[in-house]
Amino acid sequence: MTRPILEVANLSVDIRTAGGTLQAVRDVSFSVGRGETLCLVGESGCGKSVTSLAIMDLLPRAATRRVSRLAFDGVDLARSGKGAVNALRGNRMAMIFQEPMTALNPAYTIGDQLTEGYRRHKKAGAAEARERAVHLLEKVGIAAAGDRLGQYPHQLSGGLRQRIMIAMALMCGPDLVIADEPTTALDVTIQAQILRLLAELQRELGIALVLITHDLGVVGRIADRVAVMYAGEVVENGTAAEIFTHPRHPYTQGLMDCIPLPGRTKPGERLGVIPGVVPSLVGGIQGCPFRDRCPHARPVCAETPPVKTQGEHAWRCILEDA
C-alpha cells in the first residue's frame, strides 16, 4: 500500500467559550490516499468543519489543536513552522469553503481572487495567472470565462460562485482538496452538476478529496471511504460499500434509516428518526455520547466504548453487530 497523502491521528480541538471549554473534536483519526475520496458524515455541529479547519491550520484564536500526527505527503504539519504550512496551503493543499454565497470577498473581482494565490505560490505574472484562471473557469463549465474575471461576486448566481470556488481551489494544481459541504444551499440540479464536476476533475487530475457533508445521497454517489462523526468523534469508518451495506454503529444505522430507498420505501411510509438531541460538548463527556439516543443502550455504555475492527471497518460500540 502506498503512503497516504494525508494522515490524521488523534486530532482534538478545544474551543474556549464563556460557558467553558467546548470539546469540538475528540481523538479523530483517518487517512486519505492519492485519487481517493473520503467523506466525513454527520449531523450539523458534530465537528466536521472544525476538523477541516484544523487540518488547514485555520482555526480561530480561541481554539487549541492537539494531534499525535498530522502529515501531508510526509510533511509533519503539526510541527512545521508557519512558513512551511503557508507554502503548502492554497498550493498543494486547497479548500472549498462552505457556503459559496459568502466565501468570496465582495470587494474584489473574481479575477483578483482567482489569481492572487497562483501569483504568490507560482511566482507568476499577471498574464500567466489570468490565462490559468480562464482555463480553469472553462474547465468547470463557465461560459465567457474571460468576461467573468471582471465581475464581482454579487453579479453571479450561487451555482456560478460554487464553480468559481472549485476553480480557485484548483488554480495551483493541488494534491489534496478539502470540500466543506460544497453543494449546500444549491438546488438539486446544480448539486448534481457540481458532484459530477468534482468526480471528473478528481479522476483527471488524481486529486485526493475530503468531502464534508450531511447528505448520505451525496456520499453514496462519490465516496470511496466514509468516516461517520458524532459529537466530535469518529464513531465508524470504513469503505463506502461496508458502511452502506453493513453499518455497525447504531448512529450510522439511524442515519441510514432516515433515507428513502427507491423500490423499497412505499409512498407515504414514515421514515426512520433518531430521537433526542446531540449532547453538549462543553466540559467532559463520559462514556458513549450516543447512549441517550441509542435503542441498544446499556448501563455499560456509561463507560468509554471500545473500538472494534473487522478488516478496514472500525466502529466505537459495545455491540459486535448492532
Side-chain angles (χ1 to χ4, degrees):
M1 180 179 177
T2 59
R3 184 178 64 189
I5 189 74
L6 176 67
E7 299 172 84
V8 180
N10 308 120
L11 171 67
S12 296
V13 177
D14 296 335
I15 302 176
R16 299 186 304 278
T17 69
T21 299
L22 173 68
Q23 298 181 346
V25 175
R26 297 178 294 120
D27 198 27
V28 165
S29 300
F30 58 82
S31 62
V32 190
R34 294 181 184 275
E36 184 179 45
T37 298
L38 170 74
C39 284
L40 293 182
V41 181
E43 294 171 273
S44 296
C46 71
K48 305 185 301 294
S49 294
V50 175
T51 297
S52 69
L53 294 174
I55 293 170
M56 298 294 287
D57 196 20
L58 293 173
L59 289 168
R61 293 185 179 219
T64 301
R65 181 184 72 183
R66 303 187 311 278
V67 64
S68 297
R69 180 167 174 78
L70 177 57
F72 171 78
D73 199 17
V75 177
D76 190 341
L77 299 177
R79 292 161 183 82
S80 298
K82 287 288 185 183
V85 175
N86 288 340
L88 291 172
R89 185 175 53 212
N91 185 13
R92 297 186 62 202
M93 301 168 55
M95 187 165 178
I96 303 170
F97 292 94
Q98 190 174 9
E99 184 48 71
M101 306 303 283
T102 57
L104 294 168
N105 192 323
Y108 292 91
T109 65
I110 298 303
D112 286 340
Q113 295 181 68
L114 278 170
T115 59
E116 180 184 10
Y118 185 81
R119 294 186 65 180
R120 175 182 175 182
H121 287 294
K122 303 302 183 183
K123 311 301 181 188
E128 179 186 339
R130 177 185 171 85
E131 183 179 350
R132 172 73 173 170
V134 170
H135 167 71
L136 283 172
L137 289 183
E138 291 173 344
K139 198 170 192 63
V140 300
I142 294 180
D147 296 335
R148 299 292 186 186
L149 296 183
Q151 293 183 314
Y152 289 85
H154 73 271
Q155 297 175 284
L156 306 173
S157 68
L160 282 175
R161 293 189 209 188
Q162 191 59 277
R163 290 171 185 269
I164 286 167
M165 291 297 296
I166 294 173
M168 187 180 297
L170 297 176
M171 278 292 291
C172 293
D175 299 299
L176 169 71
V177 172
I178 299 176
D180 189 359
E181 303 205 30
T183 59
T184 298
L186 301 178
D187 62 58
V188 176
T189 302
I190 301 300
Q191 281 187 22
Q193 293 175 0
I194 295 298
L195 288 175
R196 277 199 304 270
L197 174 62
L198 284 172
E200 290 169 1
L201 291 171
Q202 185 190 29
R203 283 194 300 269
E204 181 180 341
L205 303 175
I207 297 169
L209 177 64
V210 177
L211 178 65
I212 297 170
T213 183
H214 58 263
D215 188 337
L216 289 175
V218 170
V219 176
R221 295 181 57 182
I222 200 170
D224 296 310
R225 297 183 56 81
V226 179
V228 182
M229 293 191 68
Y230 181 79
E233 66 181 15
V234 174
V235 296
E236 184 168 5
N237 66 79
T239 66
E242 290 170 333
I243 297 295
F244 275 90
T245 60
H246 199 181
R248 300 299 188 105
H249 196 280
Y251 176 63
T252 311
Q253 292 182 343
L255 292 178
M256 298 298 177
D257 290 341
C258 297
I259 306 174
L261 300 175
R264 291 177 57 184
T265 304
K266 299 177 182 178
E269 182 179 346
R270 291 179 64 86
L271 298 176
V273 296
I274 302 177
V277 296
V278 178
S280 171
L281 300 182
V282 176
I285 295 180
Q286 300 297 322
C288 174
F290 188 62
R291 66 183 184 278
D292 291 337
R293 307 174 71 186
C294 180
H296 306 285
R298 303 173 185 174
V300 71
C301 295
E303 302 174 5
T304 302
V307 177
K308 300 190 175 177
T309 61
Q310 187 174 66
E312 296 184 63
H313 199 164
W315 64 98
R316 294 174 183 260
C317 189
I318 61 169
L319 303 177
E320 291 293 340
D321 196 350

